[in-house]
Amino acid sequence: MATMTLNDYLQRVQGTLYHQNGEVLSDLISFRDPHVMSSRLMVEKPERDVERCVDPSIAEVIAGHLRAVWAIAERNRVEAWRIQMVVVQAVSRFMTECKEENWMLPVMYTACLDLRLFALGADEDLTKTGAKKPGETLEKAAEALMSCFRVCAADTRTGEDCTKRWGLLYLVNQFFKIYFKINKLNLCKPMIRAIEALSFKDRFSLSQLITYKYYTGRKDMFDSDFKSADATLSFAFQRCHRRSRKNKRRILIYLIPVKMLRGYLPKTSLLERYNLGELSGIVGAVRTGNVRQLSETLVKHEAFFISAGIYLILEKLKVLAFRNLFKKVYLLSGTHQIDVAMFVQSLAWMQVEDVDVEETECILANMINDGRIKGYLSHAHCKLVVSKKDAFPPLTASFC
Amino acid sequence: MWVVGSVCCREDVSWALIYQFVFDHLRAVPPVRQDLCVQGIREEGLGVLQAAVRFYVYAQYRTCEHDLCDFDPYLNMKHLAETLSLVITLYRESTKENTAVKSRNICGGEDISSFVQCDTCDRKSDDSDSESDDVNESKITQDAVASEKVNSASKGAPESEGSAGTDMTRNVTEERGKRCESDEGSEGSGSSDPCKNTTTTITVMVESGEGMEEEQEEQQEREQQRREREKKDKEEEQERREREKKDKEEQEKREEQQKREREKKDKEEEQEKRKEQEGKGEDKEEEWQKRERKREKLRCEMLKYSPREEAEALNLLVNFGQAEAIMHVLKLPREIRESRLVWTSLQMNLTWLNNNYHRILRLAPLLPTLCLMAIYYHLTTVQRRALSILSCGHSSRGGLMYSGEDLAASLRFPSITTLLDMKTTRVDWIDERLASTVCRWEIFYFLQVKIYCSGWQGEPTTDSAFSCFINRSEVVPR
């Protein structure tokens, strides 16, 4: 394959077109196939040769692909990205011409994936030189993908067997990857609406479903909808193949903070198995109510948490650490009327900066408001009066 | 800049007219940005945009009492948000350019740019520490090697001389004895007395051939050795007794010290009890004074900020509670993120994630006036949420058990009358009043805020009426 001649290649393309073999044709335009290593296919202007051998409906796609192979050989990622944009537009036109058929969907998948990967590379190159703002190439790639999205979404009148709407989930996943990269999560909403409107949304391939659930779970997490985030991320984690350790680890990075906010702490064996040592300090601190350790761990692994985007959610776990600390104070005091000064002392011992009685009352009032403590505060007597039965209900019971 | 600086200071024209005039002129600023960047006069462009941001923030506060025909708060906020995001983007781009230029100029990566991330900074500092440690270690090893050489030379000399001959052996014993003395560090022992180990191993070699004389000599030597041994035993006993004495003395000293410490602690506890008995008010006053001094220090530190720090802090306060603004600041270089102003604004945002209204209302007075004007818009939301949390947390059998004055103080209202404007203290009624937009205008009308601007170089200006709202501080003008 790495020494394939141009004629050989074009004949194969024509053959797949004749037999409507989408999988093989997708390999022939994929940059993960060995044919891209062949020097005989690195042609700067292949249009004439292609038009001679290949059907005109797909000639533009093949010519563009060969030009992109040449551009990659020249190590020009920006040019490859520009050419791939043209290839994707050509693929969407090809799909429009083929009515009531969906055998070419793998071709669309491959072209879109290569476009996103080239856009990432071009973004790096252009940002280094300062020619463009970061994320611009990805935004333009998203616009090109939108043309394919419209073609697939508009195919409503064909039967389920041959509708192009089966390609929507793959495209939506590509959009998610772009929007999360450029930090424009608000653009994900129409995509999610389009998928939820499909009648066969649960019959897509498992890999695509897991990717979809992973990104929607992350989006729910950023929207503070932790119940929904828990459900979707748990689905993704449980259904993900156990050999895909990297993917499982990625899911866990978001699933663990969400679960912790809902009151479920992970075992240390799980954190060790998936190499999540950064989170073990957090889990230990929340479990024991050690606010100081929680703050120190947040500072220590700040870079990791910020790059993963979970720093703010881990800040919210401070409330749980306070709750566990205050429960210990309550158990030590032995009464159901506890002086607020004892809570102030416990916070001062945990080196919480500048804490006073009023701030401690504020934290306690928040816990009562959230249902984490059953009782009330007496400002005049400076005491917390808790219920004699179940003063600190289990964390899993309280809403968040 | 002339428009914003001089026109705003005019007092012969109504503020509404001034606002309209300046607002229309500032609408032309954002499209000019591209030209400014191309022409390479980015700093001036940044200055203009930042002045525009300050104007919008000031106008947002100053004009809140006016009618909708004079001032549209939504439009003002929209322009403020756009200009602010432009300023932030320009600072980010200039930062990246600076890092790109510096990375090109750097040889071998030894020089650290100010915007390299903390990890690499830490690594670099670790490398520099390890380099100094290496230097120290090399010195230590040199010294060790030199001392080893000296020891080997001193040890080798007597060994090389051989073991035959009494004179030689005596010399050996003397040298070893001296070395033993120096090793033990004991003083007062004679230089002629050898160490135990050396005396047992050393044997005097006698080469005479006559029998009786030899025996007598041997007996004499044995007696001498016995006497020497006895002397040694006595000296050892004396040394043991001296050591025991010293140990006893040290133990006594320690016990005395512990006693003194216990006495001190008892005294301190007694003093504390007396203080408690005398009145907790004094302690509270002292604590309050300490806190005030600390806050005064913080306030003074916060007045020293650069234009970039001001822009980042304003971004955090205008977009209060928004995750995007917080994440942007968390990714800033450490020196900007940890500046007092940006750090305080960040803490206010982070504590708001956990609804810690008390810390926000406590930190707000420390902010410079411009930043306070940026946050005032959100303070009402904070106060409203605080009231609902307080009513839930302090309610007993359906009623809010909280003294009115304390409530007004903790929510940073000048007095209970501004909070209530009524005689009753029913929580539901307070909540309804706060929920209505009329309440906010009433508060500021009551305060009769008058703020005079004097230049647009970031100098804060205040009036004493403002201090009523923030309840404590008097921002010191530069």
Side-chain angles (χ1 to χ4, degrees), chain B residues 22-123:
Chain B
V22 177
F23 186 81
D24 289 336
H25 276 78
L26 286 176
R27 281 167 77 178
V29 173
V32 175
R33 175 209 163 203
Q34 220 170 2
D35 297 337
L36 287 172
C37 295
V38 167
Q39 291 167 24
I41 44 172
R42 179 171 285 164
E43 282 182 19
E44 281 191 30
L46 257 176
V48 170
L49 288 171
Q50 203 145 352
V53 163
R54 290 180 195 135
F55 171 77
Y56 289 130
V57 168
Y58 171 69
Q60 185 185 269
Y61 181 76
R62 172 82 186 261
T63 342
C64 66
E65 308 168 320
H66 289 227
D67 297 330
L68 214 59
C69 55
D70 290 336
F71 172 71
D72 188 342
Y74 174 75
L75 258 184
N76 190 73
M77 179 58 90
K78 191 178 161 194
H79 281 257
L80 168 59
E82 277 173 14
T83 322
L84 201 48
S85 68
L86 257 175
V87 169
I88 299 292
T89 313
L90 280 173
Y91 273 123
R92 206 189 306 153
E93 285 171 7
S94 68
T95 308
K96 282 187 182 166
E97 275 179 20
N98 288 341
T99 49
V101 165
K102 279 180 184 174
S103 65
R104 272 179 236 144
N105 291 339
I106 285 165
C107 291
E110 288 174 10
D111 190 9
I112 302 165
S113 72
S114 56
F115 299 110
V116 172
Q117 285 201 1
C118 54
D119 289 340
T120 54
C121 280
D122 290 338
R123 267 182 243 139

Side-chain angles (χ1 to χ4, degrees), chain A residues 134 302-303 306 311-312 315-316 319 353-354 356 358-359 361-362 365-366 368-369 376-377 379, chain B residues 96 119 291 294 326-327 330-331 337 350 354-359 362 389 392-395 402 406:
Chain A
E302 196 179 53
I306 291 170
Y311 187 89
L312 297 184
E315 276 279 341
K316 289 188 183 180
V319 182
E353 254 186 67
D354 263 349
D356 57 4
E358 284 187 20
E359 188 168 353
E361 283 191 4
C362 163
N366 267 299
I368 296 169
N369 191 42
Y376 66 92
L377 278 159
H379 180 71
Chain B
K96 282 187 182 166
D119 289 340
R291 264 184 224 155
K294 205 177 174 183
I326 301 169
M327 289 308 293
L330 285 172
K331 290 174 188 171
R337 189 167 27 120
L350 288 174
N354 292 326
N355 289 325
N356 190 341
Y357 57 83
H358 176 82
R359 197 164 271 248
R362 196 176 69 193
I389 293 167
C392 185
H394 288 80
S395 64
Y402 211 105
D406 287 348

Side-chain angles (χ1 to χ4, degrees), chain A residues 244-280:
Chain A
S244 310
R245 287 187 147 252
K246 224 175 169 181
N247 288 342
K248 280 190 120 74
R249 184 176 180 271
R250 268 188 190 167
I251 298 168
L252 273 180
I253 286 171
Y254 300 98
L255 181 57
I256 287 173
V258 168
K259 281 277 195 195
M260 282 172 73
L261 273 172
R262 302 200 73 219
Y264 300 96
L265 297 179
K267 289 184 189 172
T268 13
S269 56
L270 177 77
L271 298 172
E272 280 168 13
R273 203 182 319 147
Y274 290 99
N275 193 20
L276 288 169
E278 293 91 349
L279 287 174
S280 60

